[in-house]
Amino acid sequence: KQWYQRRVAITAGEEEFEEIRNILALIPEKFFQLERTIDLMELESTNGSTVHADVVKFRQKFAGKIFNLVEDLFGIEANLRELYQEQPAEEDQETDEESNETEEPCGTWRLGMNMNPTDGKIMEYTNDGWSGSSSIGNSSQALAADYLDQDVWNHDAANYIAIVRHHDDNVVLAVKTFKIIYDQGYSLSEMFNSNNPEFYRKVVGRLVQDEKLSSATVIYDPIFSVGGDLAINWGFDNNGVRMVMTDGYLEASVTDSYSTRGLGAHYWCNPVAGTVSQSSYAMEISSTSSYSSYPKAIGTDYGSYGNYHSYTSSYGQYAIYVSEDASSFPQPGTRLDVEMELC
């Protein structure tokens, strides 16, 4: 009876923790709205510009602390759940301890998607591949063209996500790895499904690895030139970008602009439904150059809208890997394959 009463109390505590997490998650969004409000005031004075810059800096620092708090809350909740689970026998505990001392945990990374921004196809926000409803390309060209492995995308637990920029020879130029801060076990198709409001405009991944070759050019790269954590499905009015960094310019939900940049962009769509409004405004990878004007593409895969141009012909390709248990990705200089082992 005491065990049951304790379990009921702990379950109630978990619900309260979840409520706190949801409140914390709303705070960065309020700052994004504040930044946009200050922009709309069109403050011409030096003091006005300083106020806006100060708000942005505060949000970037404060948001990072919030994401740490959210991750800490998940850890506390996990410890709470363990309190009412049956404990293993002492012999089993000793066996587990011995096993932990002698075995090194190995992790496996599997390729979910590859984005080649110069192959003539546009992997933009409304592409069906993001929701996992269709495979893209073929395995023989997995790291040479736009590609999506439906099996990995739909079924693999994406507890860690790695975004990897690589040459056409499949050598890693730069990598960022993120630990998912939500409950573990979601697949990428669940995260990017437009019918799942849980992951709309959400910060999902805490940065745990950021490495690149000294020769890798990153200026205006929306992933590797920008700090912060990973946010996905960033919709704002009739625009959307699938993968963005939180230290970039993240628009408020009601603002119609081109300012948010990242992977899988479309600047005239229904981001909630994941449907196209005007196909000519698609862009596979939008650079961070000129936030205040029309976006310039990294690569040549973008729509026919007259104000679209390339910032650079290409920085290489961008691969998205997932892992259930590996917290870091093989270092830059490594040659990629569709499956990577890390011990």
Side-chain angles (χ1 to χ4, degrees):
K1 181 178 179 180
Q2 289 179 341
W3 177 84
Y4 176 76
Q5 290 174 338
R6 184 172 64 174
R7 179 167 184 169
V8 170
I10 290 172
T11 301
E14 285 182 286
E15 293 174 354
E16 292 171 358
F17 271 119
E18 183 177 3
E19 183 178 352
I20 293 171
R21 281 194 282 106
N22 290 335
I23 293 172
L24 286 173
L26 290 174
I27 295 176
E29 169 65 15
K30 296 298 183 183
F31 276 101
F32 298 137
Q33 292 175 359
L34 176 60
E35 290 168 33
R36 189 55 185 169
T37 299
I38 293 175
D39 268 354
L40 292 175
M41 291 179 183
E42 298 181 352
L43 301 175
E44 301 294 339
S45 67
T46 301
N47 289 339
S49 301
T50 301
V51 169
H52 181 260
D54 288 344
V55 170
V56 173
K57 289 178 182 176
F58 183 81
R59 185 262 299 170
Q60 291 173 346
K61 292 179 180 178
F62 191 61
K65 296 181 187 299
I66 287 175
F67 304 143
N68 279 332
L69 289 173
V70 170
E71 189 169 355
D72 289 345
L73 284 174
F74 274 116
I76 295 172
E77 290 175 63
N79 291 336
L80 274 174
R81 285 192 291 271
E82 290 179 2
L83 291 179
Y84 61 72
Q85 293 174 349
E86 291 184 5
Q87 297 297 318
E90 290 185 7
E91 286 185 16
D92 293 338
Q93 289 181 343
E94 291 175 0
T95 301
D96 290 342
E97 290 173 1
E98 292 174 2
S99 175
N100 290 335
E101 290 176 1
T102 58
E103 294 182 9
E104 283 190 16
C106 292
T108 301
W109 289 95
R110 297 223 295 163
L111 177 67
M113 177 186 286
N114 189 66
M115 304 176 75
N116 182 338
T118 62
D119 70 348
K121 306 179 186 69
I122 308 176
M123 186 77 79
E124 42 83 17
Y125 189 96
T126 68
N127 190 294
D128 289 340
W130 290 103
S131 62
S133 59
S134 61
S135 292
I136 297 171
N138 59 76
S139 57
S140 65
Q141 295 288 303
L143 289 162
D146 286 352
Y147 173 77
L148 184 138
D149 186 320
Q150 196 172 17
D151 182 58
V152 174
W153 206 259
N154 287 341
H155 301 117
D156 282 28
N159 296 339
Y160 294 90
I161 296 175
I163 301 177
V164 185
R165 209 179 89 191
H166 62 96
H167 273 309
D168 293 342
D169 59 5
N170 300 340
V171 172
V172 177
L173 290 172
V175 57
K176 281 190 175 182
T177 300
F178 306 89
K179 179 182 179 182
I180 299 305
I181 62 175
Y182 283 79
D183 290 333
Q184 305 272 284
Y186 284 102
S187 68
L188 289 177
S189 66
E190 290 174 307
M191 293 184 190
F192 288 105
N193 191 325
S194 297
N195 294 319
N196 185 359
E198 183 175 359
F199 290 104
Y200 182 65
R201 289 177 58 88
K202 285 295 190 297
V203 178
V204 297
R206 183 67 175 163
L207 181 67
V208 295
Q209 180 186 11
D210 181 4
E211 297 184 79
K212 58 181 176 290
L213 293 177
S214 59
S215 59
T217 302
V218 298
I219 185 171
Y220 298 143
D221 185 310
I223 301 299
F224 295 101
S225 72
V226 183
D229 299 305
L230 177 66
I232 63 173
N233 304 323
W234 204 264
F236 45 108
D237 197 62
N238 61 349
N239 313 274
V241 184
R242 286 295 186 179
M243 304 184 84
V244 300
M245 299 298 295
T246 57
D247 281 0
Y249 198 114
L250 301 188
E251 278 290 9
S253 59
V254 297
T255 303
D256 182 14
S257 82
Y258 298 93
S259 298
T260 299
R261 312 292 172 80
L263 308 184
H266 202 299
Y267 296 101
W268 196 342
C269 68
N270 182 332
V272 176
T275 55
V276 176
S277 298
Q278 175 54 261
S279 60
S280 61
Y281 286 74
M283 186 172 287
E284 185 156 321
I285 301 173
S286 54
S287 74
T288 58
S289 66
S290 305
Y291 277 124
S292 60
S293 63
Y294 296 106
K296 293 183 179 179
I298 288 181
T300 55
D301 290 349
Y302 55 90
S304 59
Y305 179 52
N307 287 310
Y308 279 2
H309 303 283
S310 287
Y311 165 72
T312 178
S313 58
S314 178
Y315 273 164
Q317 303 179 49
Y318 294 71
I320 301 170
Y321 284 80
V322 299
S323 179
E324 184 175 3
D325 46 15
S327 59
S328 63
F329 195 84
Q331 294 181 338
T334 305
R335 191 173 297 277
L336 290 175
D337 204 342
V338 293
E339 192 167 294
M340 306 286 288
E341 290 286 343
L342 187 72
C343 292

